[in-house]
Amino acid sequence: MPALGSQYSYIVPDNVLWCILMFSGMNEPVRLPFQPEEPRHILSQVSRQWWDVVQSTASFWDHIYLTPVLSPQQSLTLLRHFFRCLLRSGNNALSLNFGMIHGGWGFSIVNWIIGPNAERIKSLTCLIYDQDIETFLNIQEGRFRVLEAVDIAFMNTGTRLSSFTMEQWLNFTVFRSLPHIRQVTLHILNGLHPFDLRVPWRQLTTLDMGTTAMPPDVFIKIIGEARSSLRDAFFQIRFHKPACPGLRLAPRKITLKKLEILHLRLVYPTQDPRLFALLRFPKLRGLWIEMHDIFQDWDVEMYTDILRHSTESLQYLRLSDFPRQGSNVPPPNRRHRDTSYHELERFLRVIRNINILHLPLGVHVPARTIEKLATGELLPRLTALALGSIHGKDVLSTVKRRNERVLSHSLAPGPSSSICTSLSFLYLVIPRSSCGPEEKRDFDKEVEVLRSLGGHLSHRTYGCPSAQNGEREGSKGCTYTVE
């Protein structure tokens, strides 16, 4: 118990003190084991009143972040601190976060923490491995009665894949009868089939399975179940050749009526592109497609079907390569495919209402298309653009002319109705062959002119996108960012 503090601390009304505490770190998770810099520990020392308010306010203790420990003694300390938080949190629903760290607990987190408190857990983030996987999946149906969100990874330390008998699989009921669950993130790294988990897909508004590669037919079944509720989704789909036999053209298209944000990570999509003709997203606002395909470069028309029914709603589109983290460099030795002028323009007219567009390096933007961007004939609502082009000067000139056009319309007397918006952000990658010392100086001058246009463009940097990976600067070209 702390010593008494200043007498003035006692005249602060409890409701005012509560607001002070909330802005002093009490709305952050409790980190266990307790550390000396823990705000709850520090602020409890101010006075007896502060101590009482901190210790008795259940909402200060119901969001708990647990970190691994190094010894059995520390494991006991961690459990003791957890039970202390549990007592102080009263009957509040709990948010438990174990991080995505393998090992370091010294005890079974399922047997000691998750299972005994399942009825109170509102949000759960953890990595479950080895024997704990079956223990967790065997938790009785309906125990997580207030659960709203989960972020769970399943992983084995020894053999990569888990093998369960039919009898064991029938007992996997942990995700059944969960009336409040809406957000699910699953990292299935041990070979479990997504349907083995019996997730209530039809209830979900947010679903992230971006680290779990699945064939197209499994993806179709999941979104078919979730089509009436899903608003935000991330999937990784791996295509095969010959065409996946499980993917059958549905008798009717699948429409996700509420989906607004979609992130697709596609592996070898050119091997079986039939999937894209099956999907409809009438309210889609943002789409990010990542592609890994060693067989063929980008074919933007392949995605026209998936975008055609989102023309009026789509505001953000990003196309990029993966898996090189922090890089948008295409896989080496991929068969190059030139995107024709007509293909690209048909694609851009489908996404005509877009505000933000990020094109991969594999999509060449011809000079004729750049000219139509300058006049606003294409993408009249565009405000941010990222692309690679051998026509670096033309792209900078496009931004300048488009923004001057918008500015002149806004300064004209009388009612103004500009035919397009100004470009306030440009990320431009220029090949090395078009980015010598003289060209850099010319680009610098152009950027300075752009910066002078009413502050529309206020910052620029250039360098080599591959330099951070240890390659020689200038080996790939120049990157200009203009904001």
Side-chain angles (χ1 to χ4, degrees), residues 374-426:
T375 62
E377 180 181 344
L378 285 175
L379 307 184
R381 298 182 184 179
L382 193 67
T383 60
L385 175 64
L387 77 162
S389 177
I390 60 174
H391 306 291
K393 290 183 181 179
D394 291 339
V395 174
L396 293 177
S397 175
T398 292
V399 178
K400 177 184 174 183
R401 291 163 52 205
R402 179 167 172 144
N403 289 3
E404 285 177 337
R405 186 183 182 92
V406 173
L407 184 61
S408 64
H409 273 267
S410 66
L411 296 176
S416 176
S417 58
S418 177
I419 63 170
C420 64
T421 58
S422 62
L423 274 168
S424 57
F425 177 88
L426 171 67

Side-chain angles (χ1 to χ4, degrees), residues 291 293-298 321 330-336:
M291 183 185 79
D293 200 326
I294 61 175
F295 302 105
Q296 182 176 297
D297 215 332
W298 282 88
D321 290 287
N333 305 320
R334 184 167 71 188
R335 183 164 66 87
H336 179 67

Side-chain angles (χ1 to χ4, degrees), residues 39 123 173 176 195 237 256 271 345 361 387 433 437 450 481:
S123 174
T173 58
R176 299 188 66 177
F195 286 100
I237 310 169
L256 278 76
Q271 300 301 289
E345 288 214 2
L361 298 183
L387 77 162
S433 59
L450 291 173
T481 304

Side-chain angles (χ1 to χ4, degrees), residues 30 86 95 136 152 259 269 325 334 391 459:
V30 188
L86 202 62
S95 294
F136 176 80
I152 298 182
L259 190 68
Q325 188 173 3
R334 184 167 71 188
H391 306 291
H459 178 66

Side-chain angles (χ1 to χ4, degrees), residues 47-63:
S47 72
R48 177 58 184 266
Q49 182 199 16
W50 286 52
W51 169 276
D52 290 340
V53 172
V54 169
Q55 304 299 315
S56 64
T57 304
S59 60
F60 292 167
W61 304 95
D62 59 15
H63 190 177

